[in-house]
Amino acid sequence: MSKSKKLSQKKFRFYSFILWLIVITPIFIVLGLFYFASVGGFGDMPDLEVLENPKTKLASEIISSDKKTLGKYYFNDNRTPVTFEELPSHLVDALIATEDIRFYSHSGIDFKRTFGAIIKFGKDGGGSTITQQLAKQLFTGEGSRDIIERISQKIKEYIIAVRLERQYTKDEIITQYLNIYDFNNNADGIRSAARIYFGKEPIELNLNESAILVGMLKNSSLYNPRPHRNPVGVKNRRNVVLNQMKKYNYLHKEIVDSLKMEPLNLKYTPESHREGLATYFREFLRSYMKSWVNSSENRKPDGSKYNLNTDGLKIYTTINYEMQKIAEEAISLHMPRLQKEFFEQNEQVDDSIAPFRDLTVGAVDTILRLSMKRSERWRKMKYDLSKDEEEIKESFYEPVKMSVFSWNGEIDTVMTPIDSMKYYKSFFRPGMMSMDPTNGKIKAWVGGMNYRHFQYDMVKKGKRQIGSTFKPFVYAAAIDQLKLSPCDTFPDSQFCVEKNKFGNIEKWCPKNSGDKYGKTRTLKNALANSVNTVTARLIDRIGPRIVANLAKDLGIEQKIFPVPSIALGTPDLSVYEMVAAYSTFANKGVYTTPTFIEKIEDKNGTILFQSNPKIKDVLSEEAAYVTVNLLEGVTTAGSGTRLRTVGADEYNRAYQKVVTGYPYEFKNPIAGKTGTTQNQSDGWFIGMVPNLVTGVWVGAEDRAIHFEDIAYGQGATMALPIWANYMRNIYLDSTLMISQEPFEKPEILNIKLDCNQFVIDSIGSGKTTDQEIQDIDF
């Protein structure tokens, strides 16, 4: 072989080697990089256990008794996962058509799309598959601006994507991706996004809505459908998704053309701790759950504490979603009318003391000064900004911009903080709770009218004087101890409990409302008309200690001093306590501890807690039934008759202006009691049917803020209309199964209830004369 030929062969082998080296070296480099990354060279890689249980922060969910979401507890991640079966098929189709059309055929990496993206320098979009996007969301995070770090992150995504494909089914990958994605505005995951942007569950989404949400996956900030943000961009992006669905034969052209013409049709419903349904209950429940997770009895298998905001607990409550909604609507219907009337009447009050009544200017100044020091503004300036007291006081008289509450929506205004305090104090506040007496389950809880502006809960925290709603405790104790009948009679004349009796320092001589007295009254008539003198005679006969002990057995938490004046409702008690106590009458004398949680589950559905309400026999079934019978008299012939009347007091201005929804025209048996405290500072009504007891309180923050006229300030005007509108709408929904039947009569009933027969028997026995009968108010 010639020398030149050998030289050319040598060159050929050399160039071949160089060529192969050029081809093979990048492959080995790439393989080396992938191997280097897989063993943790670019940072920790998730192992099998982490892939099976990726760490995602899940909000704890509050679930109503009718399986609807009341709210959630979370820090930054408002995420509640759904299953693949809870996703509509068109949402999945839109996702695949737009993000990864070969999703069901690749193994985590779409090489064709990746090389296409490299060649075109990403001009037509990236090459990431859905699985790679999930890997980025779960483990690698957003891409770095540093090219080296970005390459290492991309390599890690490829490796994790392949591992995810081995670990999960395709449906599970889609579900995880939609559950993990942040759609902005606290819409973490597809369930929160569907609820916040469209007010529905994911399975209820229509094609238009699904296309909007899939369009957000490109950039949830840029293509955010929140009102007034980028409606044109959102619509264009939605149309891109629809075109992709048409391109890959998921939709016909006619349907796409029709959908493109539709508006966005948003129902933006923010989810926050201060908005939504049952806000006061949710905040009360949060406090309870904080104690629950801190208890040593409630720990994870590894011994650590549950995190209420990130561990995805499911808290199944007794609150009925529809009943809660109806309760809040009843308050929103009545309170604005009541408030409007108060504002109109308050115009007649001296400006120097308004909105207070019956106080001196000095007393008003004292109230406002104390309120200043309890305010958040004072706390921040004193402790966070280290201001001195004089400087802080001066700031309360300097006008500032603020948004204040009104029943027509928030008002942007300029006001001094001291004037805003007086403005907020002038509002009446409601408190309302509804409970099933047979099992203690709380069905509705409304602690106020707007949690953003009035955060003090008037169901459990707030305690106010209860007035005549306490009287049934006295009557029940007398019936239980003395076996009295509703037909037994007592003189309606002034009566005094003598000095030094029952610890009285002075003699106690209560007066009737309006200082009016009659002849003789039956027990039923006396309670129906809330006659103070008869109640005083009863507590004198049985003693206040027996009444105080009964109140304690009925679940009253506060210590009640055994003095005669408790008979007229001097103690300050909560709506929560009063509803639970009255429920004992409806539940045949058995007290059941109120319950608000059915069970608590972890994110995997393991039951961590299940309620077991405590019960206690307090009254005989007979005594409880007779007490209920007396309370039925309140709604048939007493202070609660407006529940049944039509056109009564048609000239009474209060009916026309503030008895919201009148006439109510209830026909079914209802037991109840109104309550009005001194100067009309508090209005109460507690009403019962066999399987629902509901209590309502209405009053201002300060007792010196009230109506002047009892026609407006009595419980029958302040509180009863809320109960009436609530129950009327409850009865419109037969699925709630609230009873309209009579209270069940005990098998053994020796106490006479029929006062007509009682009269006949009394005359026949010679115990009562005809003249005496004529002098009795039945």
Side-chain angles (χ1 to χ4, degrees), residues 116-141:
I118 292 170
I119 292 168
K120 296 181 180 180
F121 298 101
K123 289 181 180 179
D124 292 340
S128 293
T129 63
I130 291 172
T131 319
Q132 286 175 257
Q133 292 180 51
L134 174 61
K136 180 170 72 173
Q137 293 281 340
L138 285 175
F139 301 110
T140 64

mmCIF file of all heavy atoms in Angstrom, residues 116-141:
data_model
loop_
_atom_site.group_PDB
_atom_site.id
_atom_site.type_symbol
_atom_site.label_atom_id
_atom_site.label_comp_id
_atom_site.label_asym_id
_atom_site.label_seq_id
_atom_site.Cartn_x
_atom_site.Cartn_y
_atom_site.Cartn_z
ATOM 1 N N GLY A 116 -38.623 20.429 19.371
ATOM 2 C CA GLY A 116 -39.260 21.531 18.642
ATOM 3 C C GLY A 116 -39.078 22.852 19.356
ATOM 4 O O GLY A 116 -38.808 23.885 18.736
ATOM 5 N N ALA A 117 -39.216 22.810 20.690
ATOM 6 C CA ALA A 117 -39.047 24.033 21.480
ATOM 7 C C ALA A 117 -37.613 24.531 21.418
ATOM 8 O O ALA A 117 -37.365 25.733 21.363
ATOM 9 C CB ALA A 117 -39.458 23.765 22.928
ATOM 10 N N ILE A 118 -36.621 23.565 21.404
ATOM 11 C CA ILE A 118 -35.203 23.945 21.325
ATOM 12 C C ILE A 118 -34.894 24.594 19.986
ATOM 13 O O ILE A 118 -34.242 25.645 19.905
ATOM 14 C CB ILE A 118 -34.311 22.710 21.550
ATOM 15 C CG1 ILE A 118 -34.456 22.235 23.009
ATOM 16 C CG2 ILE A 118 -32.852 23.039 21.247
ATOM 17 C CD1 ILE A 118 -33.805 20.895 23.257
ATOM 18 N N ILE A 119 -35.383 23.974 18.927
ATOM 19 C CA ILE A 119 -35.114 24.484 17.571
ATOM 20 C C ILE A 119 -35.700 25.881 17.384
ATOM 21 O O ILE A 119 -35.087 26.758 16.777
ATOM 22 C CB ILE A 119 -35.678 23.514 16.517
ATOM 23 C CG1 ILE A 119 -34.873 22.194 16.544
ATOM 24 C CG2 ILE A 119 -35.654 24.129 15.124
ATOM 25 C CD1 ILE A 119 -35.508 21.074 15.749
ATOM 26 N N LYS A 120 -36.911 26.086 17.923
ATOM 27 C CA LYS A 120 -37.589 27.374 17.746
ATOM 28 C C LYS A 120 -37.313 28.349 18.891
ATOM 29 O O LYS A 120 -37.949 29.398 18.971
ATOM 30 C CB LYS A 120 -39.097 27.151 17.615
ATOM 31 C CG LYS A 120 -39.481 26.354 16.375
ATOM 32 C CD LYS A 120 -40.993 26.181 16.296
ATOM 33 C CE LYS A 120 -41.389 25.382 15.055
ATOM 34 N NZ LYS A 120 -42.851 25.205 14.958
ATOM 35 N N PHE A 121 -36.367 27.967 19.746
ATOM 36 C CA PHE A 121 -35.994 28.808 20.884
ATOM 37 C C PHE A 121 -37.203 29.205 21.746
ATOM 38 O O PHE A 121 -37.280 30.307 22.273
ATOM 39 C CB PHE A 121 -35.274 30.083 20.409
ATOM 40 C CG PHE A 121 -33.989 29.798 19.699
ATOM 41 C CD1 PHE A 121 -33.930 29.833 18.303
ATOM 42 C CD2 PHE A 121 -32.833 29.451 20.402
ATOM 43 C CE1 PHE A 121 -32.747 29.551 17.637
ATOM 44 C CE2 PHE A 121 -31.656 29.178 19.738
ATOM 45 C CZ PHE A 121 -31.597 29.214 18.351
ATOM 46 N N GLY A 122 -38.173 28.264 21.858
ATOM 47 C CA GLY A 122 -39.322 28.480 22.729
ATOM 48 C C GLY A 122 -40.322 29.490 22.233
ATOM 49 O O GLY A 122 -41.203 29.927 22.990
ATOM 50 N N LYS A 123 -40.239 29.887 20.934
ATOM 51 C CA LYS A 123 -41.157 30.910 20.420
ATOM 52 C C LYS A 123 -42.603 30.427 20.414
ATOM 53 O O LYS A 123 -43.532 31.221 20.565
ATOM 54 C CB LYS A 123 -40.749 31.326 19.005
ATOM 55 C CG LYS A 123 -39.468 32.151 18.978
ATOM 56 C CD LYS A 123 -39.117 32.564 17.560
ATOM 57 C CE LYS A 123 -37.831 33.402 17.527
ATOM 58 N NZ LYS A 123 -37.465 33.785 16.143
ATOM 59 N N ASP A 124 -42.831 29.135 20.208
ATOM 60 C CA ASP A 124 -44.189 28.584 20.192
ATOM 61 C C ASP A 124 -44.553 27.954 21.534
ATOM 62 O O ASP A 124 -45.439 27.118 21.639
ATOM 63 C CB ASP A 124 -44.322 27.527 19.085
ATOM 64 C CG ASP A 124 -44.223 28.149 17.703
ATOM 65 O OD1 ASP A 124 -44.438 29.377 17.607
ATOM 66 O OD2 ASP A 124 -43.924 27.421 16.742
ATOM 67 N N GLY A 125 -43.855 28.348 22.579
ATOM 68 C CA GLY A 125 -44.116 27.792 23.909
ATOM 69 C C GLY A 125 -43.051 26.792 24.298
ATOM 70 O O GLY A 125 -42.260 26.332 23.482
ATOM 71 N N GLY A 126 -43.030 26.462 25.592
ATOM 72 C CA GLY A 126 -42.044 25.516 26.090
ATOM 73 C C GLY A 126 -42.399 24.095 25.734
ATOM 74 O O GLY A 126 -43.461 23.802 25.193
ATOM 75 N N GLY A 127 -41.494 23.196 26.080
ATOM 76 C CA GLY A 127 -41.714 21.791 25.764
ATOM 77 C C GLY A 127 -42.141 20.964 26.950
ATOM 78 O O GLY A 127 -42.141 19.740 26.891
ATOM 79 N N SER A 128 -42.489 21.617 28.054
ATOM 80 C CA SER A 128 -42.832 20.885 29.272
ATOM 81 C C SER A 128 -44.155 20.153 29.132
ATOM 82 O O SER A 128 -45.151 20.715 28.641
ATOM 83 C CB SER A 128 -42.924 21.839 30.468
ATOM 84 O OG SER A 128 -41.666 22.370 30.791
ATOM 85 N N THR A 129 -44.161 18.921 29.588
ATOM 86 C CA THR A 129 -45.396 18.146 29.654
ATOM 87 C C THR A 129 -46.141 18.488 30.945
ATOM 88 O O THR A 129 -45.606 19.173 31.825
ATOM 89 C CB THR A 129 -45.088 16.646 29.639
ATOM 90 O OG1 THR A 129 -44.322 16.337 30.820
ATOM 91 C CG2 THR A 129 -44.295 16.245 28.403
ATOM 92 N N ILE A 130 -47.365 17.992 31.058
ATOM 93 C CA ILE A 130 -48.115 18.190 32.303
ATOM 94 C C ILE A 130 -47.351 17.591 33.472
ATOM 95 O O ILE A 130 -47.288 18.170 34.560
ATOM 96 C CB ILE A 130 -49.522 17.563 32.182
ATOM 97 C CG1 ILE A 130 -50.369 18.362 31.182
ATOM 98 C CG2 ILE A 130 -50.216 17.512 33.542
ATOM 99 C CD1 ILE A 130 -51.700 17.721 30.844
ATOM 100 N N THR A 131 -46.732 16.423 33.240
ATOM 101 C CA THR A 131 -45.983 15.759 34.306
ATOM 102 C C THR A 131 -44.782 16.594 34.730
ATOM 103 O O THR A 131 -44.472 16.695 35.920
ATOM 104 C CB THR A 131 -45.519 14.367 33.854
ATOM 105 O OG1 THR A 131 -46.568 13.732 33.119
ATOM 106 C CG2 THR A 131 -45.136 13.509 35.025
ATOM 107 N N GLN A 132 -44.094 17.206 33.761
ATOM 108 C CA GLN A 132 -42.975 18.077 34.095
ATOM 109 C C GLN A 132 -43.442 19.311 34.872
ATOM 110 O O GLN A 132 -42.778 19.755 35.807
ATOM 111 C CB GLN A 132 -42.259 18.529 32.819
ATOM 112 C CG GLN A 132 -41.401 17.444 32.174
ATOM 113 C CD GLN A 132 -40.823 17.918 30.854
ATOM 114 O OE1 GLN A 132 -41.290 17.546 29.790
ATOM 115 N NE2 GLN A 132 -39.802 18.756 30.946
ATOM 116 N N GLN A 133 -44.578 19.850 34.465
ATOM 117 C CA GLN A 133 -45.115 21.005 35.187
ATOM 118 C C GLN A 133 -45.477 20.633 36.624
ATOM 119 O O GLN A 133 -45.274 21.423 37.551
ATOM 120 C CB GLN A 133 -46.339 21.552 34.451
ATOM 121 C CG GLN A 133 -45.993 22.180 33.101
ATOM 122 C CD GLN A 133 -47.216 22.705 32.380
ATOM 123 O OE1 GLN A 133 -48.010 23.451 32.953
ATOM 124 N NE2 GLN A 133 -47.393 22.307 31.126
ATOM 125 N N LEU A 134 -45.994 19.422 36.801
ATOM 126 C CA LEU A 134 -46.281 18.948 38.152
ATOM 127 C C LEU A 134 -44.993 18.809 38.957
ATOM 128 O O LEU A 134 -44.932 19.198 40.134
ATOM 129 C CB LEU A 134 -47.024 17.609 38.102
ATOM 130 C CG LEU A 134 -47.273 16.928 39.457
ATOM 131 C CD1 LEU A 134 -48.129 17.812 40.368
ATOM 132 C CD2 LEU A 134 -47.944 15.559 39.258
ATOM 133 N N ALA A 135 -43.955 18.265 38.317
ATOM 134 C CA ALA A 135 -42.658 18.113 38.985
ATOM 135 C C ALA A 135 -42.131 19.472 39.435
ATOM 136 O O ALA A 135 -41.603 19.618 40.550
ATOM 137 C CB ALA A 135 -41.661 17.442 38.036
ATOM 138 N N LYS A 136 -42.274 20.473 38.565
ATOM 139 C CA LYS A 136 -41.821 21.823 38.909
ATOM 140 C C LYS A 136 -42.626 22.383 40.075
ATOM 141 O O LYS A 136 -42.061 22.954 41.014
ATOM 142 C CB LYS A 136 -41.945 22.742 37.692
ATOM 143 C CG LYS A 136 -41.482 24.172 37.976
ATOM 144 C CD LYS A 136 -41.370 24.996 36.710
ATOM 145 C CE LYS A 136 -42.725 25.347 36.146
ATOM 146 N NZ LYS A 136 -42.621 26.295 35.016
ATOM 147 N N GLN A 137 -43.955 22.185 40.045
ATOM 148 C CA GLN A 137 -44.809 22.702 41.113
ATOM 149 C C GLN A 137 -44.495 22.036 42.454
ATOM 150 O O GLN A 137 -44.473 22.691 43.498
ATOM 151 C CB GLN A 137 -46.292 22.462 40.760
ATOM 152 C CG GLN A 137 -46.805 23.242 39.571
ATOM 153 C CD GLN A 137 -47.123 24.683 39.913
ATOM 154 O OE1 GLN A 137 -47.316 25.022 41.074
ATOM 155 N NE2 GLN A 137 -47.147 25.541 38.911
ATOM 156 N N LEU A 138 -44.241 20.738 42.405
ATOM 157 C CA LEU A 138 -44.044 19.982 43.643
ATOM 158 C C LEU A 138 -42.642 20.110 44.219
ATOM 159 O O LEU A 138 -42.467 20.201 45.435
ATOM 160 C CB LEU A 138 -44.353 18.499 43.417
ATOM 161 C CG LEU A 138 -45.819 18.095 43.298
ATOM 162 C CD1 LEU A 138 -45.932 16.619 42.948
ATOM 163 C CD2 LEU A 138 -46.571 18.389 44.591
ATOM 164 N N PHE A 139 -41.606 20.094 43.331
ATOM 165 C CA PHE A 139 -40.254 19.890 43.837
ATOM 166 C C PHE A 139 -39.212 20.926 43.424
ATOM 167 O O PHE A 139 -38.321 21.245 44.206
ATOM 168 C CB PHE A 139 -39.754 18.499 43.424
ATOM 169 C CG PHE A 139 -40.619 17.384 43.933
ATOM 170 C CD1 PHE A 139 -41.391 16.637 43.064
ATOM 171 C CD2 PHE A 139 -40.680 17.093 45.287
ATOM 172 C CE1 PHE A 139 -42.202 15.602 43.536
ATOM 173 C CE2 PHE A 139 -41.476 16.059 45.766
ATOM 174 C CZ PHE A 139 -42.242 15.317 44.884
ATOM 175 N N THR A 140 -39.266 21.440 42.189
ATOM 176 C CA THR A 140 -38.145 22.276 41.739
ATOM 177 C C THR A 140 -38.427 23.771 41.816
ATOM 178 O O THR A 140 -37.504 24.584 41.851
ATOM 179 C CB THR A 140 -37.740 21.922 40.295
ATOM 180 O OG1 THR A 140 -38.830 22.231 39.402
ATOM 181 C CG2 THR A 140 -37.384 20.446 40.184
ATOM 182 N N GLY A 141 -39.692 24.170 41.816
ATOM 183 C CA GLY A 141 -40.023 25.590 41.924
ATOM 184 C C GLY A 141 -39.830 26.331 40.614
ATOM 185 O O GLY A 141 -39.546 25.744 39.562
#
